[in-house]
Amino acid sequence: MKIMIKEPNSKFIKVRCNKCKNEQIIFGKSATKIDCLVCGQNLSTSTAGKSKIKARILEVLE
Ligand SMILES: [Zn+2]
């Protein structure tokens, strides 16, 4: 059996868009760029497999 190692950035993160204050839940380890669904503001970019959150983090969901 393999032991699952929890990575700190593999969670769902609730963020608030800096531009329109829309709250959105994004995956912390997404390999793709994530934009706000309302105004299109970039919320997260991916660098070498790691996400860089550019919006305000409200909550980290387990
Ligand atoms: Zn927005």
Side-chain angles (χ1 to χ4, degrees):
M1 275 179 79
K2 279 185 182 177
I3 299 164
M4 288 284 285
I5 299 164
K6 264 195 174 184
E7 293 179 52
N9 60 348
S10 65
K11 294 172 180 174
F12 287 94
I13 300 165
K14 191 195 247 184
V15 296
R16 180 185 285 153
C17 175
N18 289 329
K19 201 172 172 185
C20 72
K21 313 297 180 201
N22 171 50
E23 288 178 15
Q24 196 168 317
I25 292 167
I26 63 172
F27 190 49
K29 211 187 170 187
S30 175
T32 52
K33 176 167 138 342
I34 300 161
D35 294 330
C36 175
L37 294 172
V38 177
C39 72
Q41 172 88 347
N42 181 235
L43 302 179
S44 174
T45 51
S46 181
T47 312
K50 285 186 179 178
S51 310
K52 191 173 184 182
I53 311 294
K54 296 168 92 179
R56 188 190 173 100
I57 297 169
L58 299 174
E59 200 179 339
V60 177
L61 307 161
E62 298 283 346

